[in-house]
Amino acid sequence: MGAVLSFGQDPRWRRFLVSRLDVGPGVNVLDVATGTAMVAREVVAATGARVVGLDLSPDMLRRGIAETAAAGMGDRVRFLQGDGQRLPFADETFDALTFTYLLRYVDDPAATLAELVRVVRRGGTVAGLEFHVPKPPWSWAWWVYTRLAMPVVGRLVSRDWSAVGRFLGPNISAFYDHHPLTEQFAMWRSAGVQDVQAQIMSLGGAVVVWGRRSHGG
Ligand SMILES: C[S@@+](CC[C@H](N)C(=O)[O-])C[C@H]1O[C@@H](n2cnc3c(N)ncnc32)[C@H](O)[C@@H]1O
């Protein structure tokens, strides 16, 4: 559904997300909400880092493990079932952290961001990718696409995807109604991230936000 919603742009979004990381071979990166590990594999391919891919869902992890082994990266990514809201790691365990499509699914995005930042060493990069609501003149086309076309596409695929097709557009809109991007930047700073930057992708269909864990606080 990510590929459908992004008109096939989502691999480019993941590549840009990973390009924000200041890491190289041998360092440790945590990818939260790793799902089928597309970001985790991009980190390995682009940087040579070692990755831990964490996700709440055993089904997603099973697919992630299989697809990563098939890509010949089985020895570079370690998978772990866990909750991004309560990470099973000590403070400052990782050199950098990525997360994708996570904050819409948690009760308290600010607290979750603080928890993600906690496990990154000071000076390490934290970078997140999320869908976004385009601004005019693209907003109407996005609304029509998410509210009318995606439910139809979902219905054609399967019953499960039909539910996703109906859920995703309203869920993204509600997230930005409650947490506009400017408020999210404040959350990042409160979580201990400095030099917070953002890049709107593909006419507003997604946003990558990143920064460095601050040295103080
Ligand atoms: C849309 S998928 C994204 C997967 C992948 N990162 C990608 O780029 O395609 C969102 C993932 O977030 C996971 N997830 C949702 N809430 C989570 C939480 N609290 N902790 C960890 N993973 C979570 C889901 O299980 C799902 O695999």
Side-chain angles (χ1 to χ4, degrees):
M1 198 49 84
V4 173
L5 184 53
S6 71
F7 287 100
Q9 294 289 298
D10 59 325
R12 196 168 69 78
W13 299 350
R14 288 192 191 87
R15 280 198 299 276
F16 183 79
L17 170 79
V18 171
S19 76
R20 301 302 86 195
L21 301 182
D22 186 11
V23 298
V27 309
N28 294 310
V29 176
L30 177 62
D31 181 42
V32 179
T34 199
T36 57
M38 285 187 279
V39 170
R41 287 194 296 279
E42 180 63 31
V43 173
V44 171
T47 72
R50 277 191 301 264
V51 183
V52 174
L54 178 137
D55 199 282
L56 209 47
S57 158
D59 287 345
M60 294 296 266
L61 286 171
R62 261 193 292 279
R63 284 189 48 192
I65 291 166
E67 290 178 18
T68 303
M73 295 182 187
D75 58 337
R76 308 296 298 169
V77 185
R78 194 159 63 83
F79 289 91
L80 198 64
Q81 188 188 358
D83 187 346
Q85 298 166 100
R86 282 176 297 279
L87 292 170
F89 303 111
D91 295 356
E92 302 189 45
T93 301
F94 295 94
D95 297 291
L97 182 147
T98 50
F99 62 97
T100 30
Y101 312 125
L102 171 69
L103 297 184
R104 273 182 298 111
Y105 293 109
V106 299
D107 294 334
D108 186 342
T112 301
L113 262 174
E115 175 63 358
L116 301 179
V117 172
R118 178 185 69 76
V119 302
V120 177
R121 69 163 169 79
R122 285 162 203 281
T125 311
V126 180
L129 165 64
E130 184 52 87
F131 291 121
H132 187 248
V133 180
K135 299 269 178 280
W138 302 108
S139 44
W140 67 269
W142 184 85
W143 195 92
V144 169
Y145 188 64
T146 56
R147 301 315 199 271
L148 303 180
M150 279 181 45
V152 173
V153 172
R155 262 203 307 280
L156 294 175
V157 177
S158 71
R159 186 192 290 252
D160 284 351
W161 281 116
S162 172
V164 176
R166 276 181 280 117
F167 160 85
L168 208 46
N171 177 259
I172 295 166
S173 296
F175 180 64
Y176 283 96
D177 287 347
H178 288 110
H179 307 291
L181 211 44
T182 46
E183 186 205 307
Q184 290 184 46
F185 297 155
M187 283 182 199
W188 280 70
R189 285 191 285 270
S190 300
V193 181
Q194 65 185 29
D195 303 329
V196 178
Q197 297 178 66
Q199 175 75 45
I200 300 285
M201 311 293 294
S202 306
L203 307 176
V207 61
V208 173
V209 183
W210 72 95
R212 287 181 177 280
R213 181 170 183 186
S214 61
H215 287 275

